[in-house]
Amino acid sequence: MSTQKALYLLEAKGRLAVGDAPIYNPGAGELLVKLYATALNPVDWKFIEQDVFVQFLSSYPAVVGSDGAGEVVEIGEGVTGFEKGDKVFFQGGYEPKYGTFQQYTLADAGATAKIPEGISYDQASTFPVALTAAYLGLYKGLGLAPLTAAGRGIGAYANTPLVIIGGSSNVGQFALQLAQASGFSPIITTASLKHTEFLKSLGATHIIDRKIPLSSLPSEVAKITDKSILHVLDAISLSDTQQASYDLLSHGGKLTIVLHKTLTQKEGDGKEVVHIVGVRNHPGHRELLVDGYKHWPEWVKTGLLRPSQVEVVSNGLAGIPDGLKRLQNDQVSGVKLVAHPFDPIA
Ligand SMILES: NC(=O)c1ccc[n+]([C@@H]2O[C@H](COP(=O)([O-])OP(=O)(O)OC[C@H]3O[C@@H](n4cnc5c(N)ncnc54)[C@H](OP(=O)(O)O)[C@@H]3O)[C@@H](O)[C@H]2O)c1
């Protein structure tokens, strides 16, 4: 059996180390992809540190990593629309054969997209996880008309305010771009003010300094719009941002959160909170995501969606643990960390 290099999580809450791994055969509906870029996500360090995520990994050594971009090298039974040599991006999964912190992995062809011309593997690897969360957050969590719904989604929410907490996070950046295409106005976001021009280029109309006390968020938003706030997406979803997002919402409004719910809801206040789990096979997500994956390359080509800015970590797979520490310590601002699985290890 041919082997490859993988970054293993050796045991629950244990150490990450590079080792040999098998190259898996694609099953029905799957592709084998040679990975040239894998992006790092907060969930990757949470799989090592936080019980609520650790429970998703059922066996060790595990291979985590969920953002992949590379070249199709084998095609499983029943797959149509892909050929060997296609450049693709896709979201990985929690079993070793689907993790992206390795050199070859299996991808679900239904939730894989071809990389448009002019987009590098690094840039393409920034899409899957964060775009999935933003996409589901808006079109599932907030129940908006998808951009793909013929004649309904594009520009459908003119003169409707939307608040996105954490616009400079990768989830926030994609949410801003999608919200702009959905026509929301104003699009208000919280972020460090150094990102103001960048976030405006993605669709934000107003940036509120994320360092202000969250208790003053309602008054800051009221300076921008006197309309009811019926849509909020909290792309950060820490306990304080969840509660502030919920408190900001008007009667009848909806809030999407991207982490487990910690906020306190008041009974009978007519507000709805939806926790989005941005996993391709999560019940009720697949249809929307398969539809999304069909359209995303075209939206990248037309400029509706731009990839995140990238910082490549050094030392290939062995550079990932340091990158995850930086994410955990809140030392990454406005960019996506990306690793190259084939880069030599010092
Ligand atoms: N449910 C899902 O499927 C799903 C999917 C992806 C991510 N997530 C979760 O979503 C969150 C964001 O993920 P990500 O990959 O987008 O993160 P990220 O890009 O690594 O987030 C870093 C950014 O967060 C911003 N930030 C940190 N604390 C903030 C706060 N209190 N208010 C406003 N902005 C703040 C920082 O902003 P400044 O630079 O402006 O200071 C920084 O740019 C994470 O908790 C992640 O686990 C969930």
PDB file of all heavy atoms in Angstrom, residues 1 56 97 176 225 238 250 259 314 320:
ATOM      1  N   MET A   1       0.850  -1.214   0.000  1.00  0.00           N
ATOM      2  CA  MET A   1       0.000   0.000   0.000  1.00  0.00           C
ATOM      3  C   MET A   1       0.881   1.258   0.000  1.00  0.00           C
ATOM      4  O   MET A   1       1.873   1.309   0.718  1.00  0.00           O
ATOM      5  CB  MET A   1      -0.883  -0.021   1.266  1.00  0.00           C
ATOM      6  CG  MET A   1      -1.824   1.155   1.367  1.00  0.00           C
ATOM      7  SD  MET A   1      -2.514   1.297   3.034  1.00  0.00           S
ATOM      8  CE  MET A   1      -3.661  -0.079   3.062  1.00  0.00           C
ATOM      9  N   PHE A  56     -16.455  14.551  18.992  1.00  0.00           N
ATOM     10  CA  PHE A  56     -16.712  14.197  17.588  1.00  0.00           C
ATOM     11  C   PHE A  56     -15.648  13.258  17.010  1.00  0.00           C
ATOM     12  O   PHE A  56     -15.836  12.679  15.946  1.00  0.00           O
ATOM     13  CB  PHE A  56     -16.770  15.464  16.713  1.00  0.00           C
ATOM     14  CG  PHE A  56     -18.011  16.268  16.954  1.00  0.00           C
ATOM     15  CD1 PHE A  56     -17.954  17.480  17.628  1.00  0.00           C
ATOM     16  CD2 PHE A  56     -19.243  15.807  16.513  1.00  0.00           C
ATOM     17  CE1 PHE A  56     -19.100  18.227  17.850  1.00  0.00           C
ATOM     18  CE2 PHE A  56     -20.396  16.546  16.738  1.00  0.00           C
ATOM     19  CZ  PHE A  56     -20.328  17.750  17.412  1.00  0.00           C
ATOM     20  N   LYS A  97      -9.551   9.379   7.061  1.00  0.00           N
ATOM     21  CA  LYS A  97      -9.471   9.401   5.593  1.00  0.00           C
ATOM     22  C   LYS A  97     -10.022  10.699   4.998  1.00  0.00           C
ATOM     23  O   LYS A  97      -9.807  10.983   3.824  1.00  0.00           O
ATOM     24  CB  LYS A  97     -10.180   8.185   4.988  1.00  0.00           C
ATOM     25  CG  LYS A  97     -11.650   8.059   5.308  1.00  0.00           C
ATOM     26  CD  LYS A  97     -12.194   6.751   4.716  1.00  0.00           C
ATOM     27  CE  LYS A  97     -13.645   6.569   5.113  1.00  0.00           C
ATOM     28  NZ  LYS A  97     -14.238   5.371   4.558  1.00  0.00           N
ATOM     29  N   LEU A 176     -20.299  38.969   5.018  1.00  0.00           N
ATOM     30  CA  LEU A 176     -20.451  40.335   4.490  1.00  0.00           C
ATOM     31  C   LEU A 176     -20.678  40.312   2.981  1.00  0.00           C
ATOM     32  O   LEU A 176     -21.552  41.010   2.452  1.00  0.00           O
ATOM     33  CB  LEU A 176     -19.190  41.158   4.786  1.00  0.00           C
ATOM     34  CG  LEU A 176     -18.989  41.613   6.227  1.00  0.00           C
ATOM     35  CD1 LEU A 176     -17.600  42.240   6.403  1.00  0.00           C
ATOM     36  CD2 LEU A 176     -20.063  42.611   6.640  1.00  0.00           C
ATOM     37  N   THR A 225     -29.219  53.225  12.211  1.00  0.00           N
ATOM     38  CA  THR A 225     -30.550  52.941  11.649  1.00  0.00           C
ATOM     39  C   THR A 225     -31.603  52.995  12.755  1.00  0.00           C
ATOM     40  O   THR A 225     -31.330  52.587  13.889  1.00  0.00           O
ATOM     41  CB  THR A 225     -30.595  51.546  10.951  1.00  0.00           C
ATOM     42  OG1 THR A 225     -31.917  51.315  10.473  1.00  0.00           O
ATOM     43  CG2 THR A 225     -30.194  50.412  11.874  1.00  0.00           C
ATOM     44  N   LEU A 238     -18.797  34.009  21.023  1.00  0.00           N
ATOM     45  CA  LEU A 238     -18.373  33.846  22.412  1.00  0.00           C
ATOM     46  C   LEU A 238     -19.573  34.180  23.288  1.00  0.00           C
ATOM     47  O   LEU A 238     -20.554  34.790  22.805  1.00  0.00           O
ATOM     48  CB  LEU A 238     -17.195  34.781  22.716  1.00  0.00           C
ATOM     49  CG  LEU A 238     -15.916  34.473  21.918  1.00  0.00           C
ATOM     50  CD1 LEU A 238     -14.874  35.567  22.141  1.00  0.00           C
ATOM     51  CD2 LEU A 238     -15.369  33.107  22.322  1.00  0.00           C
ATOM     52  N   SER A 250     -34.575  42.824  17.681  1.00  0.00           N
ATOM     53  CA  SER A 250     -35.938  43.307  17.961  1.00  0.00           C
ATOM     54  C   SER A 250     -36.894  42.118  18.065  1.00  0.00           C
ATOM     55  O   SER A 250     -36.574  41.011  17.618  1.00  0.00           O
ATOM     56  CB  SER A 250     -36.418  44.217  16.832  1.00  0.00           C
ATOM     57  OG  SER A 250     -35.494  45.251  16.620  1.00  0.00           O
ATOM     58  N   LEU A 259     -21.359  28.839  17.376  1.00  0.00           N
ATOM     59  CA  LEU A 259     -20.867  27.950  18.432  1.00  0.00           C
ATOM     60  C   LEU A 259     -22.063  27.562  19.308  1.00  0.00           C
ATOM     61  O   LEU A 259     -23.138  28.162  19.190  1.00  0.00           O
ATOM     62  CB  LEU A 259     -19.812  28.647  19.295  1.00  0.00           C
ATOM     63  CG  LEU A 259     -18.475  28.984  18.603  1.00  0.00           C
ATOM     64  CD1 LEU A 259     -17.555  29.723  19.572  1.00  0.00           C
ATOM     65  CD2 LEU A 259     -17.786  27.735  18.076  1.00  0.00           C
ATOM     66  N   SER A 314       5.148  28.231   7.794  1.00  0.00           N
ATOM     67  CA  SER A 314       6.336  27.529   7.318  1.00  0.00           C
ATOM     68  C   SER A 314       6.368  26.110   7.886  1.00  0.00           C
ATOM     69  O   SER A 314       5.630  25.772   8.816  1.00  0.00           O
ATOM     70  CB  SER A 314       7.594  28.302   7.728  1.00  0.00           C
ATOM     71  OG  SER A 314       7.587  28.450   9.114  1.00  0.00           O
ATOM     72  N   ILE A 320       1.811  23.325  11.374  1.00  0.00           N
ATOM     73  CA  ILE A 320       0.397  23.525  11.737  1.00  0.00           C
ATOM     74  C   ILE A 320       0.194  23.727  13.249  1.00  0.00           C
ATOM     75  O   ILE A 320      -0.560  24.626  13.651  1.00  0.00           O
ATOM     76  CB  ILE A 320      -0.477  22.378  11.173  1.00  0.00           C
ATOM     77  CG1 ILE A 320      -0.533  22.501   9.640  1.00  0.00           C
ATOM     78  CG2 ILE A 320      -1.875  22.392  11.772  1.00  0.00           C
ATOM     79  CD1 ILE A 320      -1.253  21.357   8.930  1.00  0.00           C
TER      80      ILE A 320
END
